[in-house]
Amino acid sequence: MNRFAEKQLARVGKLLDRWMEKRTREVRLPESVSCLEDIPYRDTGKDCHKLDIYRPEKTEGTLPVILNL
């Protein structure tokens, strides 16, 4: 990757990190939703190979699944 692309990628990464921090502070889950965080789906130790699961606390039966990639 050339130097220009590396700088742009780093800049966009910092902007995304700031946006996520702000969103996390401002947007709260409803009390009826629980979250299991940082569940590894590959045993590599990398953060990019982890997922979070959000689900309603008081439900029975099957639920739909939404993947956000």
Side-chain angles (χ1 to χ4, degrees):
M1 182 180 315
N2 69 33
R3 191 74 183 132
F4 174 77
E6 288 175 1
K7 286 182 179 181
Q8 292 301 312
L9 188 57
R11 184 180 68 80
V12 170
K14 288 178 185 176
L15 289 172
L16 180 60
D17 288 344
R18 278 187 263 157
W19 178 82
M20 284 298 295
E21 288 172 9
K22 180 178 185 252
R23 185 175 186 280
T24 300
R25 282 191 312 271
E26 294 176 356
V27 178
R28 299 284 180 218
L29 288 177
E31 289 182 20
S32 62
V33 175
S34 63
C35 176
L36 301 171
E37 296 180 329
D38 297 331
I39 300 168
Y41 60 88
R42 287 192 64 196
D43 191 19
T44 63
K46 294 181 178 181
D47 285 341
C48 61
H49 293 149
K50 294 180 182 178
L51 59 89
D52 298 338
I53 298 175
Y54 299 86
R55 61 173 287 138
E57 290 182 353
K58 297 177 182 177
T59 58
E60 295 181 18
T62 60
L63 297 170
V65 175
I66 299 171
L67 296 175
N68 185 4
L69 305 175

